[in-house]
Amino acid sequence: MTRRDGSRGRASVARLLVVVGAVVGCGGGPGVEAPASATVAPGSVEFIPAFYTAEQAERGRRVFGSVCSVCHGRNEFTGPIFEFTWVAEPVGHLFQHVSASMPQDAPGSLSLAEYAAVVAYMLELNGREPGARELPADVEALNTMRW
Ligand code: HEC
């Protein structure tokens, strides 16, 4: 994973700025508004736990198997690095990244429902329990959800 990558870089910078802002503790921070906190202003959003159905995760598993696994192993989407990068963020951030940038050779080529199914599969891979409601394919709704 060493390719030039705008969105990954931006996400990392955003996180760094959030950390810097928190450490420095000044309201305006360094004068740069991190995109992550711009979309989800702390305090303005009540986070709810993400939900998905087992059937949706199964669809996501099939999409992953036919599309994503050409380049990715399943184990890239669990474990400490994945948790630090994505699980610490609202679920919508992963959805946004994946739906805008993946598959890398054809970004945006899947339906939003397919991207949501893949994210549901990742919730399952990370031990979240399925339920009765599908994960919505809607970034605003997903940005109110935590892992
Ligand atoms: C043609 C190869 C290719 C395919 C197919 C592909 N990816 Fe990727 N993906 C990459 C590369 C290369 C990177 C690292 C650079 C980047 O982030 O753009 C990446 C990065 C990612 C990341 C960020 C990883 C991180 O380090 O946090 C996620 C999440 C991701 N891909 C998910 C997916 C999903 C889900 C699919 C299937 C819908 C998919 N990718 C399909 C090549 C691919």
Side-chain angles (χ1 to χ4, degrees):
M1 297 295 149
T2 51
R3 292 219 27 182
R4 55 186 163 72
D5 166 44
S7 45
R8 174 78 194 277
R10 272 196 306 281
S12 306
V13 169
R15 261 187 303 281
L16 186 60
L17 289 174
V18 169
V19 171
V20 168
V23 169
V24 174
C26 50
V32 183
E33 190 57 43
S37 53
T39 42
V40 187
S44 70
V45 174
E46 187 124 341
F47 286 98
I48 58 166
F51 47 77
Y52 68 96
T53 67
E55 191 271 335
Q56 185 181 27
E58 172 57 23
R59 269 187 280 132
R61 192 184 63 79
R62 287 199 299 267
V63 171
F64 190 90
S66 61
V67 180
C68 318
S69 67
V70 174
C71 300
H72 292 286
R74 236 172 39 155
N75 61 356
E76 287 172 47
F77 302 100
T78 56
I81 293 176
F82 184 79
E83 279 168 28
F84 179 77
T85 312
W86 299 109
V87 175
E89 308 263 332
V91 174
H93 290 194
L94 178 63
F95 177 82
Q96 248 169 332
H97 179 77
V98 169
S99 59
S101 323
M102 294 293 133
Q104 221 216 15
D105 52 351
S109 57
L110 305 181
S111 69
L112 292 181
E114 286 173 312
Y115 286 118
V118 168
V119 174
Y121 174 54
M122 289 174 182
L123 285 161
E124 184 185 69
L125 284 178
N126 285 275
R128 305 307 185 266
E129 292 294 330
R133 284 182 300 168
E134 290 214 342
L135 190 71
D138 175 273
V139 74
E140 277 183 28
L142 293 171
N143 272 338
T144 69
M145 292 182 193
R146 56 184 158 75
W147 283 75

